[in-house]
Amino acid sequence: MALQVVLGLGRSGIGAARLLHQRGTSVLVLESGDSPALQQRADALRAEGIDVRLGVPLEPSSFTALPSRPERVIVSPGIRWDHPTLEALRQGGVRTDGEITTAWEARGAVPWIGITGTNGKTTITHLIAHLLQQAGLDAPMCGNVGFSAAELALERGNGQLPAWLVVELSSYQIESAPALAPRIGVWTTLTPDHLERHGTLDNYRAIKRSLLERSEVRILNGDDPDLCSRAASWDQARWITAGSREQARAAGFEPHLWIEANQVCQASGPLLPADALAMPGAHNRQNMLMAVAVGLEVGLSASVMQEALRSFPGVPHRLELIRQLDGVAWINDSKATNYDAAEVALKALTAPLVVLAGGEAKQGDARGWLTGLQREARAVVLFGAAREAFQQLLQNSHYAGAIHAVEGLSEAVPLARRIAAERHCQAVLLSPACASFDQYRDFEERGDHFRQLVQSL
């Protein structure tokens, strides 16, 4: 039997290995690390009949040492798609695929709704899944939202198939899965991100665009400057705008959905109130319109969607109100892992704020974020690996508020409480503008730690 090799013993790698094994494939998992935790995961897979080898470096000799050449190598999103060893395997005629491809191959007749974008995709994914589920449809979400698509395919493979899959897709997943062709594709925003991985904004944009070009129905955010500037290059797309129909036409596209007189409108007339979704910020109006556009494609009625929007609880770690304490709102925006996402939060909230920022800095243009801090924040508390670089950025931009730097959130939270009281601030906002990997496994773990610290005040 032809061998398939899965690289990485993370959640997505384990899901892919188990799914391939369930489908009768001969699987070997290679993991470069070797720790007690990895030993435990390896033992669990071996008990299911899956071969696992730990401490195997990702280099060509690891593959030439195998008893037979693999038919295919499955790659986890954390491994660079242009890794020299993967390039060598391809040149040697070995097929390479991202782990999400295994779920796509196992989908049966289930249509996918694929959501991508620099910012907004997690909120949209949750919102679309909520709309469909509230309408009585079996539409679980998976992908880049903590539950891998392979795990879901494994869980649902022998039972009742869902009506739809709502799948959040990162650029890492899209670039490694050229077979992926959703029934409905949604593109939220495009700003510079992951440039340390993709090299240029053009490369990054082309990866996102490829998913939409393979989608049967394309839903695009006409309020995003980058997407809007390329409206003429799309032969067919459903554009949304939180502005008016006239504004959209002036920007160069005919809108599918727009807002007028506080109503979500389509060509045949008003659909539902524009304030049905209670979340703050213009970006959440855009999110609502994209979700409603998906709902219309799926066949949901306006009344069902209106009711579902009103009951949407929001998304953990994205402008999540944790508590009110002594007249100050504590807000968890740990999902803001880059400058643009952090700038969106500053636009959505009312000043004056204390902002907590830091972590592992990314490449990008910080100017909009710095302007937002100048406008909304009376003080900034910096933490983690980026704190010195961020302090320099703030000082160079002539930021007028107070700047504090501490080791981590354990010190930042009590300090922020004191500053908020002294400076009469309305809210304390964790909006890091950074990845979490200097101190946490992911943004969820960072947000959970913040939540625990705030709740114990």
Side-chain angles (χ1 to χ4, degrees):
M1 191 190 295
L3 175 71
Q4 298 203 18
V5 172
V6 174
L7 300 179
L9 203 48
R11 190 164 188 172
S12 56
I14 290 170
R18 293 181 67 217
L19 181 58
L20 289 168
H21 180 68
Q22 184 196 58
R23 303 188 79 209
T25 304
S26 171
V27 183
L28 165 65
V29 181
L30 299 181
E31 165 61 56
S32 59
D34 188 355
S35 67
L38 289 170
Q39 289 282 5
Q40 215 172 354
R41 291 181 205 171
D43 289 343
L45 285 183
R46 288 176 186 131
E48 294 176 32
I50 298 169
D51 190 8
V52 183
R53 297 181 195 177
L54 300 177
V56 179
L58 182 51
E59 52 191 43
S61 60
S62 299
F63 292 87
T64 50
L66 297 175
S68 63
R69 195 177 83 151
E71 175 190 54
R72 178 165 72 156
V73 173
I74 301 294
V75 185
S76 297
I79 298 168
R80 288 188 68 101
W81 192 236
D82 60 357
H83 191 288
T85 300
L86 297 183
E87 297 283 18
L89 286 167
R90 289 176 199 126
Q91 283 163 10
V94 176
R95 182 178 157 196
T96 57
D97 278 321
E99 51 79 31
I100 197 111
T101 306
T102 61
W104 175 252
E105 291 166 348
R107 75 193 182 285
V110 179
W112 282 28
I113 300 165
I115 300 107
T116 197
T118 309
N119 298 312
K121 58 185 179 290
T122 298
T123 301
I124 290 263
T125 301
H126 280 80
L127 190 49
I128 290 169
H130 178 77
L131 284 189
L132 272 58
Q133 287 161 13
Q134 292 296 301
L137 292 170
D138 182 6
M141 64 179 176
C142 60
N144 196 41
V145 283
F147 195 66
S148 84
E151 285 176 302
L152 189 70
L154 193 69
E155 188 183 282
R156 302 293 291 270
N158 298 323
Q160 182 75 38
L161 288 177
W164 291 85
L165 271 191
V166 185
V167 190
E168 180 184 322
L169 294 162
S170 71
S171 54
Y172 298 176
Q173 290 168 315
I174 297 166
E175 73 173 338
S176 64
L180 224 76
R183 177 77 56 82
I184 301 171
V186 182
W187 192 350
T188 62
T189 55
L190 195 286
T191 53
D193 199 13
H194 303 305
L195 299 189
E196 61 286 345
R197 170 98 166 223
H198 301 309
T200 68
L201 182 62
D202 286 342
N203 288 347
Y204 176 55
R205 182 189 298 109
I207 291 165
K208 298 277 190 196
R209 181 168 180 134
S210 70
L211 180 80
L212 273 287
E213 286 178 340
R214 296 192 300 270
S215 301
E216 237 174 87
V217 174
R218 304 156 178 179
I219 295 167
L220 302 176
N221 178 9
D223 294 335
D224 180 80
D226 194 277
L227 298 185
C228 180
S229 71
R230 287 165 176 76
S233 71
W234 291 93
D235 56 344
Q236 49 164 314
R238 304 219 196 316
W239 293 91
I240 65 89
T241 176
S244 69
R245 193 178 199 178
E246 282 60 47
Q247 286 168 324
R249 286 170 168 170
F253 63 89
E254 181 61 39
H256 180 58
L257 294 176
W258 65 92
I259 292 179
E260 217 128 16
N262 206 34
Q263 291 286 314
V264 174
C265 300
Q266 59 177 353
S268 57
L271 261 175
L272 49 88
D275 57 7
L277 184 68
M279 295 168 75
H283 66 292
N284 279 318
R285 287 203 157 192
Q286 297 161 16
N287 292 341
M288 174 183 68
L289 288 163
M290 285 181 276
V292 168
V294 171
L296 291 172
E297 291 302 326
V298 172
L300 307 189
S301 71
S303 59
V304 162
M305 287 194 282
Q306 181 179 330
E307 201 175 316
L309 289 167
R310 293 205 187 282
S311 68
F312 183 60
V315 179
H317 315 294
R318 197 70 184 101
L319 288 174
E320 173 195 12
L321 176 62
I322 294 175
R323 69 183 293 194
Q324 292 273 357
L325 178 65
D326 303 329
V328 175
W330 288 79
I331 297 165
N332 169 20
D333 196 43
S334 182
K335 183 75 174 70
T337 58
N338 56 43
Y339 295 125
D340 296 288
E343 184 189 347
V344 164
L346 293 169
K347 284 179 179 169
L349 298 173
T350 319
L353 308 173
V354 180
V355 173
L356 277 53
E360 189 177 280
K362 290 182 176 181
Q363 291 178 32
D365 185 346
R367 285 174 298 183
W369 176 63
L370 292 166
T371 302
L373 289 173
Q374 187 75 270
R375 189 183 62 241
E376 308 291 344
R378 286 193 180 160
V380 181
V381 180
L382 304 171
F383 64 91
R387 62 187 183 275
E388 286 171 20
F390 274 11
Q391 186 156 6
Q392 200 66 55
L393 272 178
L394 285 161
Q395 286 167 348
N396 291 348
S397 74
H398 307 295
Y399 172 66
I403 305 170
H404 301 265
V406 296
E407 178 71 29
L409 285 177
S410 300
E411 297 83 17
V413 166
L415 175 59
R417 184 185 189 180
R418 196 165 70 243
I419 297 166
E422 287 167 2
R423 293 182 170 254
H424 309 291
C425 294
Q426 292 188 357
V428 175
L429 168 69
L430 169 70
S431 192
C434 276
S436 55
F437 305 126
D438 61 330
Q439 294 177 322
Y440 300 97
R441 186 177 64 243
D442 50 33
F443 73 83
E444 284 110 336
E445 187 176 65
R446 175 172 62 190
D448 289 341
H449 185 214
F450 178 68
R451 191 188 297 112
Q452 287 162 8
L453 291 168
V454 171
Q455 283 169 340
S456 64
L457 284 175

